Amino acid sequence: MRGLNSAFPLLFACAASVSPMAAAQTDIAKSYPVKPIRFISPFTPGAGTDTTARTLAQKLTDKWGQQAVVDNRTGAAGAIGVEITANAPPDGYTICLISASHSVNSATNSKLPYDLTRDLQGITQATSLFYAVYHSPQVPVKSAKELIAYAKANPGKLLFGSSGTGSLQHFAGEMFNHLAGVKLTHVPYKGTSAVVTAMLSNEVQVGFGTMFGVRPHMLTGRLRVVAITAGKRSPSVADIPTLSEAGIPGYEVDQWYGVITGAKVPRAIVNKLSDAMAQALKEPEVAKRLAADGSTPVGSSPDQFSAHIKSEISKWQRLVKEAKLDMKS
């Protein structure tokens, strides 16, 4: 008991030293925001990511009466916008929307000017978005199982298109190759629409992309969708199986969007931002607007999203190693 009693003064001293800082952060958070918030979107205007950023920015503006201004800072596969966020003053007035592609970039590019897990922190995962696995009707298959069987029987014959080397679409295809034990040959393009155009002219035969971009051609029969990359079936396309169901256990690729800020921004402010966004994402009008590109609202906590980012980076690092991917080309 004597040893325990002697520890009480030290505990009280620690509590006293921490409390003023915690109290100060709470006071700052109560008055936050007192000026406009810079909401960086590291993608071109009009993209699904940009739509998500503008939807959330408007809701923050409506809630607090301070402008949340979307600032499109494109370039370097989205790295420029994230770097600006990492180097901004840690006051919560610079936030940034990222996508799953940023986790791929962090897993494959050792020369990034920031560490996504150390220099930044998650605010919330805003949305989840599966890819459709689609192919040209000139490939004589009508299901994902048949596609896998055909690819095994014809190694290297099928070409799969993506929006660029190192993109999430590229890695969706490489994960398909690795887990299914097949060899589809990768052909990079400058954007998803270019992949669809190439497939319509049979330059490539397989693709991984959003239902939003593929659906019009699926309805006319010019493209066939045989599976989705989600972990479970989606109510929006309940008749389309997952790749896991089709014979590739553990396959899951999610083109998520989320919001981050600098690692040193006070947690009380991060929590306030996260709570406001989670509340906005529950609104039916927001869900309807985000559904335009097939996205489903999430609204996770800061800890959950930060953990998700780390998990995604680890997953892609593991794929690079196990599949022996050469990212220099």
Side-chain angles (χ1 to χ4, degrees):
M1 288 296 296
R2 181 178 179 182
L4 186 60
N5 289 336
S6 65
F8 284 153
L10 178 60
L11 291 173
F12 286 132
C14 290
S17 66
V18 171
S19 295
M21 182 181 295
Q25 289 189 4
T26 301
D27 289 342
I28 292 173
K30 285 180 180 179
S31 60
Y32 174 91
V34 296
K35 63 180 182 179
I37 299 169
R38 184 185 189 186
F39 200 152
I40 294 176
S41 175
F43 307 95
T44 56
T49 42
D50 188 63
T51 298
T52 302
R54 293 182 185 279
T55 299
L56 289 174
Q58 186 58 55
K59 287 299 177 180
L60 293 180
T61 298
D62 294 343
K63 182 177 180 64
W64 291 324
Q66 287 286 353
Q67 286 288 321
V69 182
V70 175
D71 182 6
N72 292 97
R73 290 302 182 103
T74 61
I80 289 176
V82 177
E83 182 182 11
I84 291 172
T85 307
N87 294 331
D91 53 11
Y93 288 95
T94 301
I95 60 179
C96 179
L97 188 89
I98 63 171
S99 74
S101 294
H102 283 88
S103 64
V104 174
N105 205 12
S106 290
T108 59
N109 187 353
S110 61
K111 296 182 179 179
L112 286 174
Y114 57 81
D115 184 305
L116 194 57
T117 61
R118 287 203 302 262
D119 301 328
L120 298 123
Q121 62 178 311
I123 295 176
T124 189
Q125 180 182 338
T127 63
S128 176
L129 174 62
F130 62 80
Y131 279 154
V133 184
Y134 61 100
H135 69 87
S136 165
Q138 295 193 42
V139 181
V141 302
K142 293 185 178 180
S143 70
K145 288 184 178 180
E146 290 181 2
L147 177 63
I148 294 169
Y150 184 86
K152 286 183 176 180
N154 299 273
K157 181 178 179 179
L158 295 179
L159 309 181
F160 83 90
S162 82
S163 55
T165 300
S167 67
L168 187 68
Q169 290 181 8
H170 174 201
F171 270 53
E174 296 293 0
M175 179 175 279
F176 181 87
N177 276 339
H178 181 57
L179 296 183
V182 300
K183 177 56 181 176
L184 308 184
T185 302
H186 177 231
V187 181
Y189 289 87
K190 293 182 178 180
T192 302
S193 60
V195 177
V196 172
T197 300
M199 191 175 298
L200 292 174
S201 61
N202 202 40
E203 289 180 19
V204 293
Q205 292 75 45
V206 182
F208 300 79
T210 65
M211 284 296 298
F212 178 76
V214 177
R215 191 186 296 273
H217 303 291
M218 180 185 73
L219 295 176
T220 62
R222 299 183 71 190
L223 295 177
R224 288 178 182 160
V225 175
V226 292
I228 62 173
T229 65
K232 60 182 180 180
R233 291 203 185 199
S234 168
S236 63
V237 285
D239 58 326
I240 301 178
T242 65
L243 277 178
S244 182
E245 290 178 79
I248 312 181
Y251 187 104
E252 182 175 2
V253 173
D254 180 7
Q255 172 56 306
W256 50 261
Y257 305 151
V259 186
I260 60 172
T261 190
K264 295 181 180 180
V265 173
R267 186 54 184 264
I269 291 177
V270 173
N271 287 341
K272 189 170 185 178
L273 281 162
S274 182
D275 291 345
M277 291 182 190
Q279 183 178 359
L281 289 164
K282 292 178 181 178
E283 297 182 15
E285 64 175 280
V286 171
K288 183 177 180 180
R289 186 173 182 184
L290 297 179
D293 77 341
S295 294
T296 300
V298 177
S300 60
S301 71
D303 285 341
Q304 288 171 332
F305 186 40
S306 291
H308 183 63
I309 292 171
K310 291 180 180 179
S311 174
E312 287 281 278
I313 292 173
S314 295
K315 176 173 73 175
W316 300 126
Q317 287 175 332
R318 195 161 56 248
L319 177 65
V320 170
K321 182 178 181 181
E322 294 178 357
K324 297 180 173 60
L325 300 181
D326 181 8
M327 299 307 301
K328 295 178 182 178
S329 57

